[in-house]
Amino acid sequence: MGQVIVDSLVRGSELALLAVGLTLVFGVLRFANIAQVEFATLGAYGMVLVASVAGVGILLQALIAIVAVGLLAVAVYRVVFVRLLRSSAAMAMIGSLALSILVRAVIQTVTGPDPKELDLPLERGVDIGGALVTPTQLRLVAISAVALAVLIAVLRLTPLGRSIRAVSANPELAAAAGINRKRITDVTWFIAGALGALAGVLLAMDTQVSLDMGFGLLLPVFAAALLGGLGSVGGAVAAAYLLALVENLVLKINFGSLVGGDGFVPVDYRAAVGFVMLVVVLLYRPQGLFGREARRA
Amino acid sequence: MLAAEGVRKHFGGLAALDGVSLEIREGEIVALVGPNGSGKSTLLNVLSGFLEPDGGSVTYEGRPIHRLEPWDVSQLGLRRTFQLAAQPTRMSLLEVMLAGARLPEGSSAWRSVFRARRVRAEQRAAVERARGLLEELSLLPLEHHAAGMLSGGQQKLLSLGAALMGDPRMLLLDEPTAGVNPTLRRTLAERLRTIRARGTTLLIVEHDMNFVAELCDRVYVLDKGRVIAECAPSELAEDERVVEAYLGSVRPTAARRAPGATAPPPEVRT
Amino acid sequence: MLDFLLGVAVVAAIYGILAISLNLQAGATGLLNFGLVGFFGIGAYATGISTMHGAPWPLGMAIGLVLAAAAGAAVGRLGRTLAAEYWAIATLALAELLRLVALNTDSLTRGPQGISAVPGFFSGLGPQSRDLAWLGLAALVLALCWWVSQRVTGAQFGRVLRLVREQPDLAASLGHDVVGAKVRVMAISAPMAALAGSLYTHYISFIGPGQLEPFATFLVWTMVVVGGLGNAFGVIAGAAIVQLLFDVTRFIDDVFDIPSENAGGLRILVVGAALLGFLYFRSGGLVPERLRRIDARS
């Protein structure tokens, strides 16, 4: 059971960092950015790139990659999405799919399709209550928790955060109240890009750097954002950890014992858990698990 | 012909409709007036099946319709138009008019593939009819243009035309004169009278009291989700509750009104 | 060279069928289907699994078409509760689910290695005349799908779809069942995708989970957007152009000095750039949808 909790916290952290970016951008622009998960891929490869050209410590490598991806996200919004959104949210969504494919194609063209490893010292796992945990995983969970806590604090306590939430809740009213929507949107994209890159960097430290590391998370991340109710940051975070827990539990439960035998859900179906939850939730609660009001377009 | 009985509808904690009852008899032209936010559009949405009421009932020609889908209500011969009569940008006026017609042959995918001749024959008659109606609405010269490119007033007229293509027994019109130019307004009143003469009952949400007085037999006044008065148009200005409801709501800032809903401030005259 | 072009043409015609299918959904009705490959997969695996068990090819094909129609109708029904963006994600999820099942149920689908030695057509002919015969067959099926698509979109049925695409409330107010329209257009177009899947499987004698990757859906989207969303003739042209582009770039590592694994990325890059470029600069595509002119005489 301890292992289930540890695994869920690790996976939940990755999903949460990406899901809040998706949900924030949706809140401000009412458009679901499929390319959100590629910010993780870009963050991880960005770190590999920084490591290869600059002799700086690992912390600085990560920081440079994260800020760079954040700025890239703002640029992509300004150059690509402002124009596509002028046609329609549907056009922007197709465009984000194209962008997602393009990002991976560019990386593959430059560095090839093989996974990369960050140059990190090998670590010994520690035993916490019967669960095997590496220090990297502990750091991953802790850093994510801090980052998410800071984000939520900023959104709730600072004038900037309140502006973001105001635009998200009611764009017309926020505009009437004199909130600069353009600046708010830029900031939102920076946060989405930076947190996505952070997820990528942490994932890269825990496992490896690969082309599909972001796209592989697309459906669970969307599932978390939708479960939490698109536009709700707190909901997305809670849903991400919940989804991760359900994923790990489903794999651990002996469903066969219900009929007096042995039968586990094969681990290959891990990704399917998120899909199935996503479809079921979309069907019965399009407003998300925690939402009160349907947010249908 | 159409009756609402104690209709309630809440949005969150807000009671948009708080027990509305009304009845429209066959052959009448009835107006529904009230200040902005009084629940007129919500009521129209409930009557036409676009919203399911939280309580109460709606009956049309003796049968309950408040649980039906909007298209089922429309197929029963009860059609409506919208306050913002947005039209498609990639369909021509003629196409929109045809979409309003009942074309059973062409509506079937199977028959449109394998019975092309019958589909064409059925359509030919509808095209004649559509062009005639467009002519009456002064839209015929634009028949092949994109419907979405029309002015707001023309889009209103087009949605009226499309609704008429289905020979509705009753029409619910949401601010038919908003955005329509004054000359056309005259002809519109004329046209609605002809429609009634041909056997269509009308319920009209309207801000223009001159238009109401000229056209309608009876008026229901809605305020804060309740019917506060039911009278002849000429009695409107004498009713204190009506005057109060209106004067209490008239706001000088035009900016607060939703785009497209640019009705003139209510003018109550005797 | 001729062999190469013939092969491109056959595959382009099969993808043209997929493009017609997607165009009925996305172009005519505004349904963003990001899981089109799922319907392709239903047709492909129905053919693969049936013929593996010795069933004649028409049976496998028919099973695929019926299953796809049912699945399409069910997916269209989801459009009742889901707004456009949510529906798009749901289709992607369902197609991925199907791919996972294909990957993991070895007993049925032979898992990751896929089903090979699916019997092809025209096996009595020489290689070149066989491809020529295949091109004839694929083009015939494509023409048939195009014809159905034209008939359907030209009549009242198509007007309702377009009205659902742009002003669903107006469509409902005029008495048109908005959910029913989505269900019906999915039930018509999904079997077309399954037909393409079945033909493709017979043509290359193989079906595996790798062919159900989301990239296939993406390729068809590129064809439809490049050709002109909403224009059936345009999307067929788009299919031909994009398929040619995708196949010609196969030789890109011969021209440029890059490792062949990296060149795979460059090929994808070309397709992605075409899609984004068209969305950005010419969102109507090469042959944009035009207003349909209805004459009093027609």
Side-chain angles (χ1 to χ4, degrees):
Chain A
M1 195 57 208
Q3 194 67 48
V4 167
I5 291 174
V6 169
D7 291 348
S8 305
L9 283 174
V10 170
R11 176 128 169 125
S13 302
E14 295 156 3
L15 298 182
L17 286 174
L18 285 161
V20 293
L22 181 67
T23 221
L24 271 175
V25 168
F26 184 90
V28 173
L29 292 175
R30 293 289 183 272
F31 128 77
N33 177 20
I34 292 179
Q36 169 69 29
V37 290
E38 303 303 338
F39 292 141
T41 319
L42 282 169
Y45 275 93
M47 197 166 159
V48 172
L49 180 70
V50 174
S52 68
V53 295
V56 293
I58 187 137
L59 212 60
L60 204 56
Q61 289 173 18
L63 206 62
I64 293 174
I66 288 167
V67 172
V69 173
L71 293 175
L72 183 70
V74 176
V76 161
Y77 162 64
R78 288 241 187 119
V79 175
V80 179
F81 288 112
V82 166
R83 176 152 174 171
L84 294 186
L85 280 164
R86 230 174 276 149
S87 307
S88 67
M91 282 291 173
M93 200 165 168
I94 302 167
S96 74
L97 178 68
L99 205 65
S100 163
I101 302 252
L102 267 178
V103 165
R104 276 174 291 152
V106 169
I107 296 174
Q108 185 184 346
T109 308
V110 176
T111 73
D114 299 325
K116 313 238 175 309
E117 305 251 344
L118 290 173
D119 192 16
L120 299 174
L122 274 179
E123 290 175 330
R124 185 188 297 273
V126 291
D127 190 304
I128 301 179
L132 194 64
V133 195
T134 66
T136 302
Q137 288 177 324
L138 285 178
R139 277 195 289 272
L140 186 155
V141 172
I143 292 172
S144 308
V146 170
L148 293 168
V150 168
L151 174 70
I152 291 176
V154 166
L155 287 177
R156 294 203 172 267
L157 304 177
T158 67
L160 176 72
R162 285 202 210 100
S163 303
I164 293 179
R165 294 199 304 151
V167 172
S168 188
N170 190 334
E172 287 84 22
L173 206 63
I179 292 175
N180 181 348
R181 177 146 183 221
K182 225 174 139 186
R183 184 167 141 263
I184 293 303
T185 314
D186 282 349
V187 172
T188 306
W189 277 87
F190 181 82
I191 295 173
L195 288 184
L198 176 63
V201 165
L202 293 175
L203 192 57
M205 289 178 170
D206 187 30
T207 56
Q208 58 180 9
V209 180
S210 72
L211 280 175
D212 285 332
M213 60 189 289
F215 200 73
L217 292 173
L218 177 68
L219 292 171
V221 165
F222 262 84
L226 295 174
L227 280 166
L230 268 179
S232 155
V233 170
V237 173
Y241 287 103
L242 182 70
L243 174 59
L245 184 66
V246 172
E247 272 185 356
N248 285 304
L249 279 179
V250 165
L251 298 182
K252 282 289 181 317
I253 292 171
N254 187 348
F255 286 103
S257 65
L258 295 176
V259 289
D262 268 341
F264 290 93
V265 174
V267 71
D268 301 304
Y269 281 109
R270 179 195 190 95
V273 176
F275 305 165
V276 172
M277 262 181 94
L278 174 59
V279 171
V280 171
V281 168
L282 284 178
L283 269 183
Y284 293 102
R285 283 192 71 85
Q287 72 274 40
L289 285 182
F290 316 112
R292 252 165 278 132
E293 190 186 335
R295 285 172 186 271
R296 287 178 58 180
Chain B
M1 180 163 202
L2 180 70
E5 191 63 55
V7 167
R8 284 182 290 110
K9 182 75 198 175
H10 294 254
F11 295 113
L14 186 87
L17 294 177
D18 193 12
V20 171
S21 300
L22 50 74
E23 189 180 358
I24 293 115
R25 292 180 286 272
E26 186 158 3
E28 277 190 305
I29 301 186
V30 176
L32 184 62
V33 303
N36 285 326
S38 58
K40 301 186 300 289
S41 287
T42 306
L43 181 57
L44 222 56
N45 282 335
V46 169
L47 294 178
S48 56
F50 277 82
L51 279 177
E52 197 178 318
D54 298 329
S57 67
V58 181
T59 45
Y60 171 70
E61 294 188 322
R63 59 183 286 187
I65 57 166
H66 51 274
R67 292 203 193 289
L68 295 185
E69 297 286 356
W71 44 85
D72 292 329
V73 173
S74 172
Q75 279 172 8
L76 291 174
L78 173 57
R79 285 197 170 185
R80 68 164 298 179
T81 63
F82 296 90
Q83 189 187 354
L84 301 170
Q87 296 289 342
T89 51
R90 283 170 290 168
M91 290 174 79
S92 71
L93 274 69
L94 202 47
E95 273 199 295
V96 173
M97 291 294 284
L98 287 182
R102 291 166 201 261
L103 301 173
E105 303 282 336
S107 297
S108 146
W110 178 264
R111 276 175 277 175
S112 48
V113 174
F114 296 105
R115 298 274 186 275
R117 189 167 306 174
R118 268 157 65 181
V119 168
R120 267 199 302 273
E122 169 194 67
Q123 183 167 308
R124 217 171 287 138
V127 169
E128 284 306 313
R129 174 103 200 282
R131 300 187 80 238
L133 269 170
L134 284 176
E135 170 94 76
E136 291 179 25
L137 297 167
S138 323
L139 291 172
L140 189 58
L142 301 170
E143 59 175 336
H144 297 302
H145 288 241
M149 301 300 155
L150 296 175
S151 72
Q154 288 172 322
Q155 296 197 0
K156 286 238 132 126
L157 293 177
L158 178 60
S159 41
L160 175 63
L164 288 173
M165 285 294 288
D167 297 315
R169 307 245 304 113
M170 179 161 184
L171 259 179
L172 313 177
L173 303 177
D174 201 345
E175 299 191 13
T177 66
V180 175
N181 75 51
T183 9
L184 221 50
R185 244 179 232 215
R186 290 268 134 202
T187 30
L188 189 61
E190 203 66 35
R191 174 122 311 284
L192 293 179
R193 260 193 292 271
T194 322
I195 291 168
R196 185 246 300 262
R198 287 178 196 159
T200 302
T201 308
L202 293 162
L203 175 65
I204 303 175
V205 171
E206 189 51 66
H207 275 297
D208 182 343
M209 293 300 158
N210 297 323
F211 192 80
V212 169
E214 189 183 341
L215 188 68
C216 301
D217 307 319
R218 280 191 303 135
V219 184
Y220 281 99
V221 185
L222 216 58
D223 186 41
K224 301 194 182 78
R226 292 167 168 276
V227 174
I228 56 166
E230 187 245 308
C231 56
S234 55
E235 293 160 14
L236 260 185
E238 291 150 30
D239 195 308
E240 264 173 42
R241 287 164 304 175
V242 178
V243 175
E244 193 180 320
Y246 265 108
L247 293 182
S249 79
V250 174
R251 291 188 182 83
T253 45
R256 288 193 57 87
R257 230 172 270 131
T262 51
E267 25 181 283
V268 182
R269 68 156 206 184
T270 41
Chain C
M1 186 63 195
L2 186 64
D3 292 353
F4 169 76
L5 283 178
L6 260 179
V8 172
V10 173
V11 176
I14 292 174
Y15 265 93
I17 300 169
L18 286 169
I20 291 283
S21 169
L22 182 61
N23 188 50
L24 276 172
Q25 300 162 12
T29 325
L31 289 167
L32 301 183
N33 185 354
F34 288 153
L36 183 72
V37 73
F39 298 116
F40 176 90
I42 289 175
Y45 268 102
T47 285
I49 295 168
S50 310
T51 53
M52 183 170 71
H53 291 96
W57 67 264
L59 182 64
M61 200 177 267
I63 290 173
L65 293 184
V66 171
L67 285 180
V75 173
R77 188 70 176 58
L78 293 181
R80 178 184 198 82
T81 28
L82 303 186
E85 302 84 8
Y86 293 59
W87 191 83
I89 295 298
T91 56
L92 180 61
L94 286 169
E96 281 287 88
L97 196 58
L98 201 70
R99 183 173 67 87
L100 275 182
V101 171
L103 193 61
N104 290 306
T105 47
D106 291 27
S107 54
L108 192 66
T109 64
R110 291 199 181 153
Q113 83 218 40
I115 301 168
S116 45
V118 177
F121 302 148
F122 318 118
S123 43
L125 303 175
Q128 208 170 71
S129 33
R130 186 167 66 219
D131 262 7
L132 218 59
W134 258 107
L135 181 58
L137 175 65
L140 187 74
V141 175
L142 173 61
L144 199 72
C145 289
W146 177 79
W147 178 73
V148 168
S149 152
Q150 287 301 89
R151 279 280 169 96
V152 165
T153 53
Q156 180 81 340
F157 186 81
R159 279 190 289 273
V160 172
L161 298 184
R162 288 192 290 281
L163 210 53
V164 167
R165 172 184 74 185
E166 295 195 50
Q167 302 291 349
D169 281 349
L170 181 56
S173 79
L174 295 175
H176 301 300
D177 180 346
V178 170
V179 180
K182 291 179 185 174
V183 169
R184 290 196 288 165
V185 80
M186 288 303 295
I188 294 167
S189 57
M192 292 185 182
L195 190 57
S198 176
L199 283 178
Y200 191 71
T201 303
H202 281 298
Y203 179 60
I204 67 166
S205 299
F206 171 77
I207 179 65
Q211 276 148 345
L212 268 54
E213 294 277 351
F215 181 73
T217 303
F218 176 73
L219 199 59
V220 182
W221 264 102
T222 307
M223 292 166 171
V224 169
V225 170
V226 167
L229 201 57
N231 186 314
F233 171 75
V235 302
I236 292 176
I241 292 166
V242 173
Q243 190 60 45
L244 188 65
L245 197 68
F246 192 57
D247 275 324
V248 165
T249 47
R250 209 183 280 276
F251 309 109
I252 214 158
D253 52 328
D254 298 347
V255 185
F256 299 103
D257 184 27
I258 48 174
S260 57
E261 313 94 73
N262 298 24
L266 201 55
R267 291 178 68 202
I268 298 171
L269 201 157
V270 169
V271 177
L275 176 54
L276 199 57
F278 268 88
L279 283 175
Y280 200 81
F281 294 109
R282 199 181 159 88
S283 56
L286 289 173
V287 195
E289 180 187 15
R290 263 172 309 202
L291 284 182
R292 282 158 197 268
R293 196 182 171 89
I294 300 166
D295 292 314
R297 278 150 274 109
S298 70

